[in-house]
Amino acid sequence: MSELPPYDSFLLVSFGGPEGQDDVMPFLENVLRGKNVPRERMLEVAEHYKHFGGVSPINEQNRQLIAALQKRFDANGIDLPIYWGNRNWDPYFADTLRQMKADGKKRSLAFFTSMFSCYSGCRQYRENIIQAREEVGEGAPLVEKVRMGFNHPGFIAAMADNVSKAAQTIGASPAETKVLFTAHSIPMGMADNCDYEKQLRESCRLVADACGAVDWDLVYQSRSGPPSQPWLEPDVLDAIAEMDDAKKLESLVILPIGFVSDHMEVLFDLDEEAAQLCQERGIKMARASAAGTHPDFVEMICGLVQERLGKLNEKPALGELGPWHDVCPQDCCLYTPRRPPVAGGRPVQAN
């Protein structure tokens, strides 16, 4: 095997979203292709987008993140041009890799806009990128992801700060209110083959300790599978109702810790549905912001890149799990139906 070329670019890897009403159904068909999701659920989600004019916030939020990263790269002497590719909407991975190839790029470091390990948040992206490289053909750049940062001090600091700021809006401190951490629910078959729950619980514990929250729970949102398929629970709405029934909830802070940006699922599931439920029950609710472009989060991404460039001598990590691996094992985050093993986050080089 020939010696690897140096890193010469950075790739922001994300989910993608529609940017107009005409994009919504084609986008959702991309997202749900091959998945056992009832069509009624797809139409229901389409209505969510219609409620916001058919425009998902995620693309604009990614543009803002890229701008913030560029400033930190420049300030830290990281000479890597930033590219952006999506799984489900423009700019698609293959188009971005094709542009990178045309620009002469050979090897890229990638950050996935997913902080926790599971098939849909990590392995599937790696499979997507390998498929895109095959589509682009000879000369497509290598793409290697940085490690998961769920317990990185920068991520924990950003999340703790956002909880504290949200609590202030309802006249409380994190120690004086219930705190719910939410993440995207996934099928139990997926959860059983990854460290998603373990990482989430550790991250929630670290954030709670950092901001002083004493009464907190991890709940889930946005499930999309058929009722017969078990997914991670409890659902955020069910949890709020059950907690309030058991002991009247006076106030509540919700942090979408499992989401990098305040995109459509956060806006609808939390800012619409959860907020309405809390209003009906007389609960003072504040929704804490996702990581977004919080300076500590942006600095974390910059640090993960510096690690791989050999500019840092340590890998910061809080808690008991330590720094996560740079290169995923071949069987990492497998999910039924089983996919062919991929090269652990490092695409096989073309001969």
Side-chain angles (χ1 to χ4, degrees):
M1 182 177 292
S2 60
E3 185 176 348
L4 291 171
Y7 295 113
D8 56 17
S9 51
F10 174 86
L11 177 62
L12 183 70
V13 171
S14 196
F15 192 79
E19 300 205 69
Q21 194 59 49
D22 291 343
D23 297 342
V24 171
M25 290 306 293
F27 164 75
L28 290 176
E29 288 167 356
N30 280 345
V31 173
L32 301 177
R33 186 172 292 113
K35 296 182 180 179
N36 185 22
V37 176
R39 183 167 179 81
E40 305 84 65
R41 173 59 178 165
M42 182 171 72
L43 295 175
E44 178 185 341
V45 174
E47 285 299 310
H48 298 177
Y49 282 97
K50 184 177 180 180
H51 186 68
F52 291 92
V55 179
S56 169
I58 192 169
N59 286 343
E60 180 56 31
Q61 290 165 1
N62 278 327
R63 294 183 187 103
Q64 293 172 7
L65 180 57
I66 289 169
L69 281 170
Q70 188 63 67
K71 290 181 180 179
R72 297 312 303 153
F73 279 19
D74 292 344
N76 286 277
I78 300 175
D79 187 21
L80 300 178
I82 299 176
Y83 294 84
W84 168 32
N86 291 325
R87 171 185 292 160
N88 296 300
W89 205 249
D90 186 63
Y92 291 102
F93 292 132
D95 295 334
T96 298
L97 293 184
R98 197 171 285 113
Q99 181 61 56
M100 294 168 72
K101 174 183 174 180
D103 293 343
K105 305 307 175 187
K106 303 295 184 183
R107 188 181 180 205
S108 183
L109 276 174
F111 176 78
F112 296 2
T113 55
S114 174
M115 298 299 293
F116 302 92
S117 300
C118 67
Y119 174 73
S120 58
C122 183
R123 186 183 182 91
Q124 187 178 4
Y125 279 127
R126 293 187 282 121
E127 293 177 350
N128 295 154
I129 290 169
I130 288 175
Q131 292 164 1
R133 292 189 74 245
E134 292 173 349
E135 182 178 335
V136 173
E138 185 176 358
L142 299 167
V143 177
E144 302 171 26
K145 67 182 289 289
V146 298
R147 67 181 172 97
M148 287 292 186
F150 66 92
N151 57 356
H152 191 286
F155 180 64
I156 301 304
M159 296 294 89
D161 184 44
N162 287 353
V163 170
S164 296
K165 288 176 178 175
Q168 290 173 7
T169 67
I170 54 174
S173 71
E176 298 169 327
T177 185
K178 180 76 179 185
V179 176
L180 288 183
F181 299 98
T182 71
H184 204 301
S185 183
I186 60 174
M188 290 301 300
M190 186 186 297
D192 290 342
N193 290 289
C194 64
D195 292 306
Y196 188 69
E197 288 181 277
K198 179 169 70 174
Q199 292 174 351
L200 273 167
R201 293 192 180 281
E202 177 72 345
S203 190
C204 294
R205 182 184 69 82
L206 291 169
V207 173
D209 288 349
C211 69
V214 293
D215 184 10
W216 63 270
D217 283 292
L218 169 64
V219 298
Y220 298 93
Q221 63 177 89
S222 310
R223 70 158 291 161
S224 58
S228 58
Q229 183 182 34
W231 283 50
L232 288 176
E233 296 179 342
D235 175 78
V236 59
L237 300 182
D238 294 339
I240 292 171
E242 290 172 8
M243 291 173 188
D244 189 50
D245 288 342
K247 182 182 179 182
K248 176 60 184 173
L249 280 177
E250 299 298 330
S251 62
L252 173 65
V253 171
I254 304 180
L255 172 70
I257 194 169
F259 302 86
V260 166
S261 66
D262 296 329
H263 55 53
M264 186 61 67
E265 288 167 313
V266 172
L267 296 181
F268 192 86
D269 295 352
L270 303 184
D271 294 359
E272 296 280 330
E273 292 189 324
Q276 180 179 347
L277 177 62
C278 287
Q279 183 178 25
E280 291 170 354
R281 287 177 169 263
I283 303 168
K284 290 193 294 184
M285 177 196 137
R287 204 267 291 167
S289 298
T293 57
H294 191 289
D296 290 328
F297 179 66
V298 175
E299 193 62 39
M300 179 208 74
I301 300 173
C302 184
L304 294 177
V305 171
Q306 288 176 304
E307 288 178 12
R308 296 294 289 272
L309 294 176
K311 293 178 177 287
L312 295 180
N313 295 323
E314 59 179 14
K315 295 181 177 180
L318 300 175
E320 302 172 356
L321 300 182
W324 217 242
H325 42 247
D326 285 333
V327 179
C328 298
Q330 288 197 349
D331 62 351
C332 191
C333 295
L334 285 172
Y335 176 53
T336 305
R338 294 175 67 92
R339 270 73 173 180
V342 297
R346 180 168 293 147
V348 177
Q349 295 186 83
N351 294 327

